Amino acid sequence: MDTDPAALNPYPRQPRIDDAFGRILARCWDAGAAPWSAVELIERDDGLIAANDASRYFAEPEHWSDLERWGWEQAAGRILDVGCGGGRHAVPWLALGHEVVGLEPSPEAVRVSRERGVEAVIGLVPSLPEGLGEFDTIALFGNNLGLLGGPAQALEVLAALAAVARPGAQLIGSGMDPGDGGAAHADYHAWNLRRGRARGQLRVRVRDGATTTPWFDYWLATPDELAAAVAESAWTLEALERDPAGPGYIARLRC
């Protein structure tokens, strides 16, 4: 009798939905955030898989790009750090005396942020948890303007963030222009357009062994696409600074 599991069940098993991102982050933190102590695998819905060094989520300010450091320095008052991860941006803000609340869907990432002194809560836009209060600065760093999700989703996300913004509050975030995609991504961009999505609208999930996060949309918007989405919201695009050395940019919005 053949007892080979593959023979008994010829269909491949799907990964288990779990806090894959948080597990990766916690493993990296427990290893002292040493380079390549943990690997983040990002899977795209066309089958592409990319591997990243998870220690980037703990990089100190001196290792950030000049543009990221400039944007981070613009934060003032009470700060909501959306997608705070392990506290890469929140911890140095705290060191400067800012009041910071981190927002993160991963329970393990929230645990790591709390261990580092951040007041972090489980949640994500647009379904913000109750009781957050109001903020002078809403931050979406680490390319977290991607959390706008896409042209349609962006309006709901921006509305949710405007609901916790004090009058005159600013939203500062970093994003990435998808450009022409090059050989590795041009076909994906074209596929997106054929199915009615924005060119740089990614459908991805984070893998850790046999576990994965749920699929989610992550939008690499061109500056013009971002400006169009913001124009339909309660926010005003006040400034956009592009990285002279790459596709990244920092956008500053005002409510």
Side-chain angles (χ1 to χ4, degrees), residues 79-85 89-90 93 100-105 121 123-126 128 132 135 137-148 157 160-161 164 171-174 218:
I79 303 168
L80 177 64
D81 186 7
V82 180
C84 67
H89 298 94
W93 272 324
V100 185
V101 175
L103 183 71
E104 169 63 48
V121 296
L124 190 61
V125 289
L128 297 176
L132 287 177
F135 299 89
T137 298
I138 296 172
L140 293 96
F141 284 105
N143 289 327
N144 272 346
L145 283 174
L147 297 177
L148 294 178
V157 173
L161 295 176
V164 295
L171 185 156
I172 309 176
S174 57
Y218 193 81

Side-chain angles (χ1 to χ4, degrees), residues 4-13:
D4 180 2
L8 295 174
N9 181 10
Y11 303 104
R13 295 180 63 184

Side-chain angles (χ1 to χ4, degrees), residues 7 19-20 22-23 34 43 45 60 71 94 125 146 156 165 172-173 211 221 228 233 247:
D19 185 12
R23 289 161 50 123
E43 180 183 5
D45 62 344
E60 300 290 339
L94 290 172
V125 289
E156 187 178 3
I172 309 176
T211 66
S233 75

Side-chain angles (χ1 to χ4, degrees), residues 225-252:
E225 288 174 327
L226 178 67
V230 172
E232 299 296 322
S233 75
W235 298 88
T236 299
L237 180 59
E238 192 171 73
L240 191 144
E241 298 289 337
R242 302 197 66 151
D243 188 340
Y249 59 83
I250 296 285
R252 181 163 63 186

Side-chain angles (χ1 to χ4, degrees), residues 144-247:
N144 272 346
L145 283 174
L147 297 177
L148 294 178
Q153 299 94 314
L155 299 180
E156 187 178 3
V157 173
L158 290 170
L161 295 176
V164 295
R166 289 176 176 153
Q170 61 178 346
L171 185 156
I172 309 176
S174 57
M176 185 176 295
D177 188 330
D180 62 9
H185 305 293
D187 287 346
Y188 186 79
H189 292 173
W191 183 44
N192 268 341
L193 293 174
R194 289 197 300 272
R195 53 186 178 153
R197 292 164 63 84
R199 191 161 51 92
Q201 189 175 5
L202 313 181
R203 184 110 175 125
V204 296
R205 60 184 180 179
V206 178
R207 296 284 298 266
D208 181 42
T211 66
T212 181
T213 66
W215 290 101
F216 61 95
D217 284 336
Y218 193 81
W219 188 24
L220 304 183
T222 67
D224 286 346
E225 288 174 327
L226 178 67
V230 172
E232 299 296 322
S233 75
W235 298 88
T236 299
L237 180 59
E238 192 171 73
L240 191 144
E241 298 289 337
R242 302 197 66 151
D243 188 340

Side-chain angles (χ1 to χ4, degrees), residues 29-55:
W29 177 245
D30 291 343
W36 293 104
S37 57
V39 177
E40 176 193 43
L41 296 178
I42 299 179
E43 180 183 5
R44 201 169 63 185
D45 62 344
D46 64 341
L48 179 70
I49 295 178
N52 298 309
D53 178 4
S55 69

